[in-house]
Amino acid sequence: MGVLIVDDEPLARARLARQLQTINGCQLLGEAADGESALQQLDSLDPDLLLLDIEMPGENGLQLATQITNRPNPPAIIFCTAHDEFALPAFAVAASGYLLKPVNVEQLAQAIAQARRLSKPQRQALHTQVPQHASGRRQIKAVSRRGVQLLDVDDIRCFIAEDKYVIAHHSGGETVLDESLKELEAEFGERFVRVHRNAIVAVDFIAGLQKGGDGYRVTLAGIALTPVVSRRLLAGIKSLLAEMA
């Protein structure tokens, strides 16, 4: 994955460059200190990913990102900034990640792993793989003290409501969301099915049912979690499995 670092601070560029050396599959193609230089290198280097600061002299990172994302086949963008107030505008221009300085290598590696799914060769594949009738967003944003993470909806096995939060379980683990289960079910109703008052599961990942001492549980491909199926919804889940067989 070819990376271009865009930041007006030399020390910040050097830190990111050192961290990139420790992340497998990444190659630093170049560095730029402002938007004009970044655009020039974008044409000559054709990077897969930009690590982009927001507050820079002249054109800021948000303005630069708007230009870049309007181009055909743009690179993925991860914002690396000292300011948390730009998160919403950043994702409005289709950012793949949002990290707060000082960026640590674990956060950077995780954000790059997410952005790698959105690299230029994969964007077209993703577009062709997602059915046109599928409802809702393709990605869900999660904000935490570690930064901002984008989850591919196609990778989520289930949403489980716990206390005041909803947890998305996916191939990379689990992520806490600040969204209600009711809202998620309304948005993704064509792709997820309710199995319990506190759980909806991805239809494409349902592997079967198993019966235990606490009743039936649904098994999901790729994760060990087995959400409980309520008695009221069991007949519908069995019918769905029969249709899928």
Side-chain angles (χ1 to χ4, degrees), residues 2-243:
V3 182
L4 174 63
I5 297 173
V6 185
D7 197 309
D8 64 309
E9 300 176 6
L11 291 178
R13 295 199 304 271
R15 178 185 177 89
L16 289 173
R18 288 194 304 271
Q19 291 174 336
L20 281 175
Q21 293 176 355
T22 69
I23 300 175
N24 290 333
C26 289
Q27 178 186 7
L28 178 60
L29 300 180
E31 300 179 13
D34 54 53
E36 182 179 355
S37 175
L39 288 174
Q40 293 173 354
Q41 295 196 56
L42 192 69
D43 292 329
S44 60
L45 300 176
D46 191 26
D48 300 299
L49 171 67
L50 264 65
L51 300 181
L52 179 59
D53 190 17
I54 290 183
E55 291 200 327
M56 300 184 294
E59 191 171 49
N60 68 32
L62 292 172
Q63 294 169 324
L64 178 62
T66 299
Q67 287 193 52
I68 291 171
T69 54
N70 286 331
R71 292 182 168 205
N73 205 20
I77 295 173
I78 296 174
F79 284 104
C80 302
T81 176
H83 306 277
D84 59 3
E85 67 267 26
F86 296 116
L88 290 179
F91 284 103
V93 292
S96 299
Y98 190 96
L99 301 177
L100 294 177
K101 295 179 179 179
V103 176
N104 68 51
V105 68
E106 291 81 9
Q107 293 172 340
L108 182 61
Q110 183 179 21
I112 288 177
Q114 182 68 33
R116 194 186 303 275
R117 299 175 183 170
L118 302 176
S119 63
K120 290 184 286 186
Q122 294 168 312
R123 290 186 183 207
Q124 184 60 38
L126 180 63
H127 174 75
T128 57
Q129 289 168 6
V130 176
Q132 294 304 307
H133 67 271
S135 61
R137 292 163 287 174
R138 292 186 179 181
Q139 294 179 309
I140 293 176
K141 180 182 69 175
V143 183
S144 69
R145 288 177 296 177
R146 300 176 61 187
V148 180
Q149 180 183 7
L150 285 182
L151 303 176
D152 289 338
V153 175
D154 286 348
D155 188 45
I156 296 173
R157 271 58 171 178
C158 62
F159 297 103
I160 307 293
E162 295 186 9
D163 298 324
K164 298 180 181 180
Y165 301 98
V166 169
I167 298 177
H169 294 264
H170 47 85
S171 62
E174 56 186 59
T175 302
V176 176
L177 305 178
D178 190 20
E179 303 191 40
S180 74
L181 198 64
K182 183 178 180 180
E183 291 170 340
L184 292 167
E185 183 182 26
E187 181 175 0
F188 302 113
E190 296 179 9
R191 303 156 72 176
F192 288 78
V193 61
R194 185 173 287 272
V195 297
H196 194 274
R197 61 180 176 81
N198 71 344
I200 60 175
V201 304
V203 173
D204 288 345
F205 286 108
I206 294 176
L209 283 173
Q210 63 181 27
K211 189 175 182 180
D214 58 352
Y216 281 92
R217 290 177 173 268
V218 62
T219 57
L220 300 168
I223 63 171
L225 180 71
T226 55
V228 173
V229 180
S230 71
R231 292 181 180 180
R232 180 175 62 87
L233 298 171
L234 180 59
I237 300 303
K238 287 183 174 180
S239 176
L240 175 63
L241 284 170
E243 293 176 7

